[in-house]
Amino acid sequence: MTDDPREQIGRLFDEVAPVYDQVGVDFFGQFGRRLVALAGLKPGWRVLDIGTGRGAVLFPAADAVVPGGGEVLGVDIAQGMVDATSAEIQRRGLQNVYLQVSDAQTLPGLPERAYDAVLCGLVAFFLPDPQAGVRRWFDLLRPGGRLALSSFAGEDFRFKPAHDALAAFLPPGPPMKPPGIESFASSDAVADLLSSAGYVDIGSVERVHETVFRSPEHWWEWQGSHGGRATLHLIPREQREAAREAACAALEPLRREDGSLLLQPKLRYTVADKPR
Ligand SMILES: C[S@@+](CC[C@H](N)C(=O)[O-])C[C@H]1O[C@@H](n2cnc3c(N)ncnc32)[C@H](O)[C@@H]1O
């Protein structure tokens, strides 16, 4: 075992892979579709999807390029994600869509100057050295190729009472943060990151999305189905039920007439090109 955070992150996503984006909430799917739309993919393009997860970006990318003879390679550090998404590729009978386990920061063995587009949905901030990652992706793009990535740009502060309730069960200390998060703190920070790696025509847009939970308990189920499970792991096992009750109770005032809850996260989408 090393202290490289990628190992820990890989284990976390391996664990959540069976339920990631599978709990009846349109969360990652809508972000993936938006990222693909903004990337302006063309039929026939060769695309690399980094940190593919359960395919929120991969499948819409395949819809855009494969009919014109293109292909998509998805890579993920978590074997569980690759296995589950491979099964879905087979279930859909897709051609020219491939997956492999690989580390996004180094991506060994991939051909350089070969990809028309590199896509990266909600992954780059998990890298301990995002600069190394975006430089590697630059080398993999053909001249004039396109990078499109997304990151979180703001949380829905109406849900803060639930997070505060959870915090009461966590060990003292600063909240957990993904290792590369500082490079994604603002559109300017992302632009600095990409321009120092050689990208040009860098533009970011921010968009507030809407996700609906049936109930506070549904929100809790979703909370354990993605990277947020890392926080739940920090709560001593014997206190998890009390933590669930406290967090759900804190969300009661947000319930709408039908009992549902509306979450409005803000995402940043950044598109940049490799010079011709
Ligand atoms: C928040 S999920 C995003 C998944 C997918 N792109 C989406 O939009 O739903 C982050 C994904 O990145 C993967 N990941 C995290 N660190 C990685 C790394 N160093 N190399 C490759 N994949 C990584 C995780 O295993 C996980 O599948």
Side-chain angles (χ1 to χ4, degrees), residues 6 9 13 20 28 50-53 56-57 75-78 81 102-105 121-123 126-127:
R6 284 173 287 184
I9 289 166
F13 281 104
Y20 182 90
F28 297 103
I50 293 180
T52 212
V57 175
V75 297
D76 202 288
I77 203 164
M81 289 293 194
S102 192
D103 167 36
Q105 193 168 291
L122 298 175
V123 181
F126 286 118
L127 304 183

Side-chain angles (χ1 to χ4, degrees), residues 56-262:
V57 175
L58 179 97
F59 290 116
D63 288 345
V65 302
V66 170
E71 65 172 56
V72 185
L73 171 64
V75 297
D76 202 288
I77 203 164
Q79 181 74 55
M81 289 293 194
V82 168
D83 291 346
T85 305
S86 292
E88 181 61 17
I89 290 169
Q90 284 197 355
R91 195 189 69 75
R92 296 187 189 200
L94 294 178
Q95 304 293 313
N96 292 1
V97 183
Y98 310 100
L99 288 178
Q100 71 183 49
V101 172
S102 192
D103 167 36
Q105 193 168 291
T106 52
L107 292 169
L110 294 187
E112 299 200 346
R113 301 163 67 89
Y115 293 92
D116 299 294
V118 169
L119 308 177
C120 185
L122 298 175
V123 181
F125 43 79
F126 286 118
L127 304 183
D129 185 352
Q131 182 65 242
V134 298
R135 280 185 197 280
R136 176 70 178 135
W137 309 344
F138 187 88
D139 291 341
L140 298 176
L141 281 169
R142 63 152 165 87
R146 173 154 299 167
L147 170 68
L149 59 82
S150 60
S151 48
F152 289 107
E155 49 189 285
D156 184 336
F157 286 105
R158 295 175 322 122
F159 279 63
K160 189 172 180 298
H163 294 287
D164 288 347
L166 275 186
F169 293 87
L170 298 174
M176 287 175 75
K177 283 190 193 164
I181 197 74
E182 296 307 329
S183 299
F184 299 89
S186 65
S187 297
D188 285 348
V190 182
D192 286 349
L193 175 77
L194 296 183
S195 63
S196 64
Y199 294 89
V200 295
D201 295 333
I202 303 163
S204 288
V205 291
E206 292 184 356
R207 183 188 160 92
V208 176
H209 289 267
E210 296 199 340
T211 288
V212 176
F213 302 99
R214 291 188 302 275
S215 62
E217 288 71 24
H218 190 204
W219 170 84
W220 178 265
E221 183 190 4
W222 170 80
Q223 195 65 25
S225 71
H226 55 74
R229 192 183 297 200
T231 303
L232 305 187
H233 277 323
L234 295 175
I235 301 170
R237 200 171 286 278
E238 67 282 4
Q239 290 183 24
R240 288 201 190 141
E241 182 52 23
R244 185 189 71 79
E245 282 176 12
C248 289
L251 290 178
E252 281 297 324
L254 292 191
R255 291 183 89 153
R256 303 186 295 185
E257 238 172 55
D258 63 357
S260 67
L261 299 165
L262 175 68

